[in-house]
């Protein structure tokens, strides 16, 4: 493993750093630095609008969606160059939050399965931030079982009529388009009767209802479809092959999430260095130091495991399961760190107002937002199954519904 940039990578890094220094919206740097997981917002500006302006400027400079082909709005850069860019972009990368699903998941799926006319129409506007995409997968009755979905798509001439519901759809309330996986054939086993589409989120019959979160944010949504009409030309992949299409999306989702893991360790270390308890500086407390040492080891392990992935990318190789392992470790760690910080805060831990709370209420927001890290992009249980079955080669779980037609699978109420 080589931690040093090659001469070409060093030149790319210097070029990226100079462009960011000359173009970044530095008026938001302090706020973005303080914004933590669970509360990325700007006091006097709409983060989506600020993000769009930053994304447009990046696109004009050739820094948006770096690994995409230039004809689709990208730069044709290597994966390692994308990693270098993210490292240099730093806190300004938080402004890309509204576009991460489009760039990391939807765009690659359209690129793999869309018609050429659709690629040239939609991908450049996705890359430039003019249009935002969301991912319409999860459903109330499905849980982590994507293939258990019940949203129906029925053929009507050259169109499809969609009825059903999705849930936990990030960014649906400000998205222009979405990837939609549906059930087109209930008479075959559940993985075989799915079909993928993309649709305009302003289509008649689409209703978006934001979900109010415990941390006060509204990033997730319920989405209802009532006789929504989608032309067959907006189908991605073959009819009934939606599961294979979705694997492209899910694979890119794991990579996208794994590339920007947060652990909370830098924040808790800085906090303990500054905090004075009734027994003196928190950093001098042996129990606190023991906790910090444990988290430091985990953070270091995640860092160097990530470097293994980066090193593989630098050599043109496909990375292994590092991102799944990283997310599985980082999610619980983030939750534990936030809970410990609030214990240290004592009574102040009940405050969430940044003007009154210790550390600006960042750990309160982190604690309330951290469960999503253990759900989004694959729950802890799903990731453990992936690692067990596909990495360690252990026997798979028993699946009694594997060869059963979807409409024969027992459900509650039947």
């Amino acid at each position: 493993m080589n931690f040093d940039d090659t001469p070409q990578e060093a030149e790319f890094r210097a070029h990226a750093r100079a462009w960011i220094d000359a173009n970044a919206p530095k008026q938001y740097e302090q706020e973005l630095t303080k914004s933590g997981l669970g509360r990325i917002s700007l006091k006097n500006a709409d983060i989506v609008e600020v993000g769009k302006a930053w994304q447009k400027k990046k696109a004009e400079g050739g820094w948006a969606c770096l690994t995409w082909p230039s004809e689709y709005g990208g730069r044709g850069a290597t994966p390692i160059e994308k990693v270098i860019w993210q490292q240099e972009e730093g806190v300004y990368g938080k402004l890309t939050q509204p576009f991460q699903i489009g760039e990391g998941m939807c765009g690659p799926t359209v690129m793999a399965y869309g018609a050429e006319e659709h690629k040239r129409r939609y991908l450049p506007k996705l890359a430039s931030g003019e249009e935002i995409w969301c991912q319409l997968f999860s459903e109330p009755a499905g849980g982590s079982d994507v293939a258990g979905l019940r949203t129906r798509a029925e053929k009507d001439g050259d169109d499809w009529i969609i009825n059903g519901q999705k849930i936990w759809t990030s960014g649906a309330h400000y998205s222009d388009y979405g990837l939609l996986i549906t059930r087109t054939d209930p008479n075959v086993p559940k993985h075989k009767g799915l079909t993928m589409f993309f649709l305009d989120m302003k289509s008649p019959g689409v209703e978006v209802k934001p979900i109010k979160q415990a941390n006060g944010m509204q990033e997730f949504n319920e989405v209802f479809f009532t006789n929504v009409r989608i032309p067959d030309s907006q189908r991605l992949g073959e009819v009934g092959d939606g599961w294979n299409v979705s694997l492209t999306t899910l694979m890119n989702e794991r990579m996208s999430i794994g590339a920007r893991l947060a652990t909370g360790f830098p924040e808790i270390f800085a906090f303990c260095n500054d905090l004075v308890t009734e027994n003196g500086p928190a950093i001098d407390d042996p129990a606190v130091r023991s906790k910090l040492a444990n988290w430091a080891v985990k953070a270091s392990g995640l860092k160097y495991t990530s470097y293994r992935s980066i090193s593989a990318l630098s050599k043109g190789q496909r990375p292994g399961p590092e991102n799944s392992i990283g997310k599985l470790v980082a999610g619980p760690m983030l939750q534990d760190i936030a809970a410990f910080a609030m214990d240290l805060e004592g009574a102040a831990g009940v405050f969430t107002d940044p003007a009154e709370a210790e550390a600006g209420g960042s750990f309160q927001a982190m604690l309330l937002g951290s469960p999503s890290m253990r759900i989004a992009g694959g729950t802890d249980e799903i990731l453990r199954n992936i690692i067990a079955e596909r990495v360690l080669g252990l026997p798979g779980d028993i699946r009694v519904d594997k060869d059963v037609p979807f409409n024969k699978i027992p459900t509650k109420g039947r």
Side-chain angles (χ1 to χ4, degrees):
M1 188 188 304
N2 187 352
F3 299 117
D4 298 323
D5 291 338
T6 65
Q8 295 83 1
E9 290 165 0
E11 182 180 356
F12 179 87
R13 186 184 296 277
H15 185 31
R17 184 176 298 170
W19 189 90
I20 291 169
D21 186 59
N23 292 277
K26 296 180 181 178
Q27 66 270 32
Y28 302 114
E29 182 178 6
Q30 188 173 3
E31 276 190 275
L32 290 170
T33 300
K34 293 181 178 179
S35 291
L37 184 79
R39 189 171 61 200
I40 299 177
S41 60
L42 301 173
K43 185 178 295 184
N44 299 312
D46 183 336
I47 194 165
V48 174
E49 294 306 315
V50 173
K52 281 187 172 184
W54 177 232
Q55 189 74 8
K56 182 179 180 182
K57 183 172 286 190
K58 289 198 298 183
E60 291 171 348
W63 298 101
C65 298
L66 270 76
T67 57
W68 291 12
S70 57
E71 61 267 30
Y72 301 144
R75 188 187 184 93
T78 64
I80 189 62
E81 287 174 335
K82 179 180 177 180
V83 171
I84 290 171
W85 166 264
Q86 290 175 339
Q87 292 173 342
E88 295 301 321
E89 189 178 19
V91 296
Y92 301 110
K94 294 179 181 180
L95 293 175
T96 68
Q97 186 181 39
F99 314 102
Q100 286 177 6
I101 291 174
E103 177 180 352
M105 306 163 210
C106 302
T109 306
V110 172
M111 208 175 299
Y113 293 95
E116 186 62 28
E117 61 181 287
H118 289 148
K119 296 178 191 178
R120 293 184 180 273
R121 155 62 183 88
Y122 294 103
L123 294 179
K125 289 193 174 184
L126 194 163
S128 67
E130 293 177 67
E131 294 172 349
I132 300 177
W133 285 58
C134 63
Q135 178 183 321
L136 299 153
F137 278 30
S138 298
E139 295 194 8
S144 295
D145 182 12
V146 175
L149 63 91
R150 298 180 178 278
T151 295
R152 305 184 311 279
E154 299 172 323
K155 196 76 186 299
D156 182 27
D158 292 331
D159 296 336
W160 294 83
I161 307 300
I162 313 297
N163 284 280
Q165 177 189 359
K166 299 292 180 177
I167 198 167
W168 311 123
T169 304
S170 301
H173 54 302
Y174 53 67
S175 290
D176 301 290
Y177 293 91
L179 280 188
L180 172 65
I181 188 164
T182 66
R183 185 163 303 283
T184 49
D185 187 354
N187 300 302
V188 296
K190 61 184 181 182
H191 289 83
K192 298 180 180 180
L194 307 178
T195 303
M196 184 80 79
F197 301 91
F198 70 88
L199 83 160
D200 186 333
M201 292 296 290
K202 305 301 187 294
S203 300
V206 177
E207 182 182 9
V208 178
K209 293 185 177 181
I211 297 172
K212 185 78 170 181
Q213 297 164 232
N215 62 2
M217 304 293 282
Q218 289 185 326
E219 299 166 327
F220 306 123
N221 306 268
E222 294 178 282
V223 184
F224 297 87
F225 304 92
T226 305
N227 295 323
V228 178
R229 187 173 290 270
I230 300 178
D232 185 62
S233 61
Q234 291 179 201
R235 172 168 45 84
L236 296 172
E238 299 298 323
V239 174
D241 197 39
W243 178 250
N244 285 327
V245 179
S246 74
L247 291 179
T248 298
T249 311
L250 295 172
M251 178 185 69
N252 281 284
E253 180 180 47
R254 304 273 156 75
M255 286 289 293
S256 180
I257 291 175
R260 293 180 181 267
L261 285 174
T263 63
F265 178 71
E267 290 84 355
I268 189 66
F269 187 78
F271 180 60
C272 289
N273 270 288
D274 296 337
L275 181 67
V276 177
T277 69
E278 59 184 14
N279 298 318
I283 195 68
D284 292 340
D285 187 323
V288 171
R289 294 172 72 89
S290 176
K291 286 277 191 181
L292 291 176
N294 181 47
W295 287 323
V297 170
K298 285 187 177 181
S300 181
L302 288 174
K303 176 182 176 181
Y304 290 110
T305 300
S306 175
Y307 281 176
R308 287 171 56 194
S309 178
I310 293 172
S311 182
L313 290 171
S314 182
K315 298 173 184 176
Q317 300 170 359
R318 184 173 179 171
E322 292 87 356
N323 292 316
S324 290
I325 294 171
K327 181 179 176 302
L328 186 59
V329 174
M333 179 176 166
L334 189 77
Q335 206 165 14
D336 291 344
I337 283 176
F340 181 70
M342 289 183 64
D343 284 344
L344 288 178
E345 291 178 0
V350 302
F351 294 131
T352 58
D353 185 342
E356 298 181 11
E358 293 271 11
S362 60
F363 292 108
Q364 288 85 335
M366 187 183 293
L367 183 67
L368 292 171
S370 59
S372 67
M373 172 73 83
R374 304 181 68 171
I375 298 171
T379 64
D380 289 359
E381 292 78 11
I382 293 294
L383 294 179
R384 286 191 177 97
N385 280 347
I386 290 172
I387 294 168
E389 296 175 17
R390 302 183 189 179
V391 180
L392 302 178
L394 298 177
D397 281 347
I398 296 173
R399 285 179 43 206
V400 297
D401 62 356
K402 184 174 182 180
D403 298 314
V404 179
F406 182 74
N407 57 7
K408 302 297 183 183
I409 297 175
T411 60
K412 288 184 179 180
R414 277 188 179 178

